[in-house]
Amino acid sequence: MFDVVYFSSVSENTKRFVEKLGFQSFRIPLHLSEASTYTHNRDSVLVVPTYGGGNESSTVPKQVIKFLNNPENRKHIKAVIGGGNTNFGDHFCRAGEIIASKLGVPMIYRFEITGTPEEVIEAKERIAELWQQQN
């Protein structure tokens, strides 16, 4: 099965969602210097929150950008799950959309804040389907 690589701020909303998924997971470090040197060399689904509430220049967390600047990390991302807040309107889960587009991988799910039980079930199913398709 895919690993889950994720970024979560000090609020840990994304971390709580990822923990509910029950897959082996790895957190991108909070500190920029650590995020830029962090490497994950197994096929993964990236779970990323959306920042900025509509400000396109601050949508993707800087730590995720640093992580993805490493080609070794980029090549192992097979899909993206976006987190966000519906109060962001059209910007809901925009970071996931941006990353999926740049990496040329599917965005397989969107969830709000820490995810409802239904969102957790659906995200798990989407990851399992992707695994079956690629193996």
Side-chain angles (χ1 to χ4, degrees):
M1 185 57 76
F2 293 115
D3 289 343
V4 172
V5 174
Y6 70 98
F7 176 73
S8 190
S9 67
V10 294
S11 73
E12 297 196 336
N13 287 333
T14 304
K15 179 182 181 207
R16 286 193 286 280
F17 175 76
V18 167
E19 287 173 341
K20 292 181 226 176
L21 294 175
F23 295 111
Q24 185 168 336
S25 61
F26 300 87
R27 186 177 186 168
I28 297 169
L30 278 170
H31 298 293
L32 284 174
S33 61
E34 293 173 25
S36 64
T37 60
Y38 179 73
T39 302
H40 188 80
N41 59 5
R42 289 173 35 99
D43 287 350
S44 308
V45 172
L46 177 65
V47 180
V48 60
T50 295
Y51 282 5
N55 182 350
E56 201 71 20
S57 66
S58 61
T59 298
V60 178
K62 288 182 170 91
Q63 294 88 339
V64 176
I65 293 169
K66 295 287 187 185
F67 171 77
L68 292 173
N69 280 341
N70 179 337
E72 185 67 20
N73 291 331
R74 281 195 310 273
K75 79 177 185 181
H76 289 290
I77 302 300
K78 301 304 178 190
V80 178
I81 293 176
N85 187 320
T86 54
N87 289 339
F88 291 176
D90 290 343
H91 205 68
F92 176 62
C93 298
R94 183 73 179 122
E97 295 168 355
I98 290 169
I99 293 167
S101 175
K102 287 191 181 221
L103 296 182
V105 300
M107 181 156 162
I108 60 171
Y109 201 69
R110 293 167 174 79
F111 69 95
E112 185 169 19
I113 306 175
T114 62
T116 65
E118 294 80 14
E119 289 173 323
V120 171
I121 291 167
E122 183 69 24
K124 287 169 77 168
E125 289 173 355
R126 300 271 177 98
I127 293 169
E129 287 170 14
L130 184 69
W131 176 257
Q132 289 176 344
Q133 290 171 0
Q134 294 196 5
N135 291 293

